[in-house]
Amino acid sequence: MTNLLTQSAVERLNSPLARRVEFHDEVASTQDLALELAHAGAPHGTLVISRIQTGGHGRLGRSWGSPPGGIWMSIVLRPELEARYAPRMTQAAAVGVAKALHEIGVEARIKWPNDLLVEGKKICGILAVGGPAARREKTYQTEFVILGIGLNANLDPSDLGVSVEQAATIRSVLGHDVDLLELLDSLLSHLEHGIRHVKNFEPILRDWREFNCTLGERVRVRRSGQDFEGLALDLNPHGALRVATETGTIDLFEGEIEYVRPHSGDDGSE
Ligand code: BTN
């Protein structure tokens, strides 16, 4: 028998990332709601989760289909983190999601910066948005980070309003549905572990390298109106992607990448 995902069931998980739970049947966007709550002083570990989102969105304002059956959630984090380490949060979260998925047999890979893919199709998107930075002693600290996770679980790729070539779901990968409460429990505990290691980043970096599908790829980078190509070399200690380009090596703290597949014939084939 599967557990129902309800406010009290989520509260009973007793996760430090769900100290305060806002469970909804329907909201426009858990991310927007969590952001409002954070500005109003919501504590670390405020979890906003909804069965449906009517205005879910991802990076660069793209819309994010959120019908019933997925895990659509945003967490208010107050990690006392230097603002320059903020990109690490996305990578720590990506590792956490990858671990939770591998545990149930879904071999997802991390595509920098914030996607989890199964056989090239997106199964989860991560949206980490930093709040204002405030000066503390000699550094600038992010007051809060809203960590948004959209995980396609018990639904069909065709429910998502994007091309089925682009999307995967747990149901499409495993051929059956999973217990969403158990999945959320595991997800929160892996995320909590990742977030705890955001300052001492080495273990996350190691796991990220193991789970990624970006390093060693030729990538086309889109960053602030600039397009260029290069070879993805590594993740640097701050969570930035190190890319070798014709004019030198750069560290990408933000941006979009596309894999450059060899054209047919490049490898000698037709
Ligand atoms: C991306 O791939 O661009 C990130 C997608 C993030 C989607 C999640 S779903 C829960 C939360 N609420 C939103 O509106 N967005 C995030």
Side-chain angles (χ1 to χ4, degrees):
M1 203 185 78
T2 60
N3 291 297
L4 278 183
L5 206 53
T6 59
Q7 166 100 24
S8 54
V10 177
E11 281 167 351
R12 277 197 301 273
L13 296 178
N14 260 326
S15 164
L17 296 187
R19 274 169 54 198
R20 171 175 160 190
V21 180
E22 285 255 344
F23 190 93
H24 295 268
D25 280 325
E26 182 176 314
V27 290
S29 157
T30 58
Q31 196 75 8
D32 296 349
L33 197 47
L35 189 62
E36 262 174 47
L37 292 171
H39 279 297
H44 178 83
T46 299
L47 170 71
V48 182
I49 181 163
S50 184
R51 280 189 228 280
I52 299 175
Q53 294 184 115
T54 51
H57 54 85
R59 291 174 79 231
L60 310 171
R62 293 184 189 126
S63 78
W64 182 266
S66 320
I71 293 190
W72 323 125
M73 68 177 187
S74 303
I75 310 170
V76 178
L77 303 171
R78 296 192 183 271
E80 298 181 3
L81 187 69
E82 276 187 52
R84 66 196 172 110
Y85 293 150
R88 291 181 178 184
M89 198 57 95
T90 304
Q91 310 315 336
V95 166
V97 176
K99 286 184 173 173
L101 286 175
H102 279 244
E103 256 174 31
I104 56 167
V106 174
E107 300 200 348
R109 302 260 141 218
I110 303 167
K111 179 183 174 210
W112 187 91
N114 66 329
D115 293 344
L116 280 112
L117 309 181
V118 177
E119 290 173 3
K121 298 179 182 182
K122 184 155 165 171
I123 195 163
C124 178
I126 295 168
L127 185 63
V129 176
R135 201 175 162 86
R136 299 257 153 80
E137 287 159 20
K138 288 193 178 132
T139 63
Y140 281 91
Q141 278 191 7
T142 308
E143 271 185 32
F144 58 78
V145 173
I146 307 298
L147 179 64
I149 310 262
L151 177 55
N152 305 334
N154 297 343
L155 38 87
D156 294 318
S158 58
D159 298 334
L160 288 164
V162 292
S163 146
V164 292
E165 302 303 310
Q166 289 171 13
T169 68
I170 290 179
R171 179 188 287 167
S172 73
V173 175
L174 295 181
H176 59 80
D177 287 356
V178 292
D179 186 314
L180 288 185
L181 188 66
E182 280 176 12
L183 178 60
L184 179 64
D185 192 13
S186 147
L187 197 52
L188 290 174
S189 97
H190 287 299
L191 288 173
E192 203 273 322
H193 178 269
I195 287 158
R196 225 179 324 120
H197 282 88
V198 133
K199 286 181 195 151
N200 159 32
F201 199 52
E202 195 48 45
I204 301 292
L205 213 46
R206 261 201 314 272
D207 289 341
W208 190 94
R209 290 185 181 119
E210 187 190 323
F211 286 122
N212 92 93
C213 60
T214 296
L215 301 184
E217 291 285 334
R218 272 206 80 70
V219 294
R220 184 168 306 115
V221 177
R222 239 171 245 136
R223 181 180 69 162
S224 327
Q226 268 183 309
D227 272 23
F228 53 91
E229 278 187 26
L231 179 68
L233 293 178
D234 201 2
L235 200 64
N236 85 2
H238 299 307
L241 185 66
R242 188 155 282 170
V243 179
T245 73
E246 274 184 354
T247 51
T249 299
I250 56 158
D251 285 344
L252 275 181
F253 283 89
E254 41 104 35
E256 287 276 288
I257 57 165
E258 227 174 74
Y259 294 144
V260 182
R261 307 265 173 232
H263 300 292
S264 64
D266 280 359
D267 57 356
S269 63
E270 284 300 302

